[in-house]
Amino acid sequence: MTRIELATLRDELVECRQCPRLVAWREKTARDKRAAFREDEYWGRPVPGFGDAQAGVLVVGLAPAAHGANRTGRMFTGDRAGDWLYRAMHRAGFANQPLSRDRDDGLELSGAYVTAGVRCAPPKNRPTTGERDRCAPFLRRELELLWPGLHTVVALGGFAFSVVLGILAGRGLPIPRPRPRFGHGVEVDLGRVAVLASYHPSQQNTFTGKLTEPMFDAVWGRAAERGGG
């Protein structure tokens, strides 16, 4: 049933046009293609979540990359951040392969579901507060559908960390006061579920060494450990 309900949510999400600025940007980017992808047909719509409908780990990023998921139509697919994410998930046993190039590349996730706080590519990768809030119901509904088996949420970056804690607070979970501050490796144990914080595997973070593969692997190792993997 969860798989069917996630598919229904997906169909609703991809038709969303609630945020005029994001609609205009995602569609402009899909028309004005990057030269390296000029032969590609860009997705240019909101990007749905992807993964195992029985997931124990929910992975939440910021938003689709303009020439990554906005092009391919699958979260963290077709860009360097996705390369980092799925390599790490593969090493931890959550993905059947380390590469994510397009929607038909055979990638499958086991025990994990990947989504984002905002579903349309934002200009300069910076969604507004209003855009975040209008998009939040989609993430809230995904979390609700996955809730029976969920034990861990991996928040990639401070934006995702804030969004996740806000949604979990809305479910009545006991968020510590003062609210935990984002930092790589921070773990917020809420009893029913834990939130693991990681630096986002963005090109800026990985090129500068702010996030290294051992640092990222430590987060994924902890997620696997929490699930008994």
Side-chain angles (χ1 to χ4, degrees):
M1 178 62 75
T2 301
R3 186 179 299 277
I4 295 172
E5 291 172 324
L6 284 170
T8 299
L9 176 59
R10 175 194 182 281
D11 292 343
E12 178 183 337
L13 184 148
V14 299
E15 298 300 326
C16 181
R17 301 183 67 84
Q18 291 187 77
C19 302
R21 186 183 79 116
L22 297 189
V23 170
W25 178 255
R26 80 192 190 205
E27 294 180 356
K28 179 181 186 299
T29 304
R31 290 191 305 271
D32 304 338
K33 304 175 183 181
R34 180 172 285 175
F37 306 122
R38 61 181 176 274
E39 301 302 323
D40 292 12
E41 180 178 351
Y42 274 56
W43 175 257
R45 290 178 280 171
V47 180
F50 161 70
D52 186 350
Q54 307 301 318
V57 178
L58 177 64
V59 186
V60 183
L62 169 61
H67 302 283
N70 185 58
R71 172 174 61 89
T72 64
R74 191 173 72 192
M75 285 293 177
F76 284 96
T77 295
D79 60 19
R80 288 194 176 95
D83 292 344
W84 267 70
L85 176 63
Y86 292 117
R87 277 203 310 268
M89 293 181 72
H90 177 66
R91 289 192 295 265
F94 291 106
N96 69 327
Q97 62 188 41
L99 298 177
S100 179
R101 296 292 184 239
D102 59 64
R103 296 196 307 279
D104 300 315
D105 62 9
L107 176 65
E108 296 180 1
L109 303 185
S110 176
Y113 190 90
V114 178
T115 188
V118 171
R119 307 311 178 92
C120 296
K124 298 182 180 180
N125 215 28
R126 293 178 181 173
T128 67
T129 300
E131 290 161 352
R132 177 202 66 193
D133 292 346
R134 283 190 290 276
C135 216
F138 291 118
L139 177 58
R140 191 176 297 117
R141 288 165 62 188
E142 282 175 333
L143 190 144
E144 185 72 32
L145 291 172
L146 296 170
W147 189 253
L150 199 65
H151 56 75
T152 305
V153 181
V154 176
L156 302 176
F159 180 91
F161 186 72
S162 177
V163 169
V164 165
L165 289 183
I167 289 176
L168 292 175
R171 287 190 60 90
L173 270 70
I175 308 299
R177 292 181 179 277
R179 182 169 290 199
R181 296 181 61 180
F182 172 78
H184 184 82
V186 167
E187 178 171 340
V188 184
D189 188 349
L190 302 177
R192 171 65 176 77
V193 69
V195 179
L196 304 183
S198 172
Y199 289 140
H200 192 285
S202 65
Q203 184 171 318
Q204 179 180 359
N205 285 344
T206 58
F207 273 21
T208 61
K210 183 175 183 178
L211 178 65
T212 65
E213 288 194 319
M215 290 168 64
F216 209 25
D217 285 345
V219 171
W220 287 104
R222 178 59 181 145
E225 181 181 80
R226 281 189 49 79

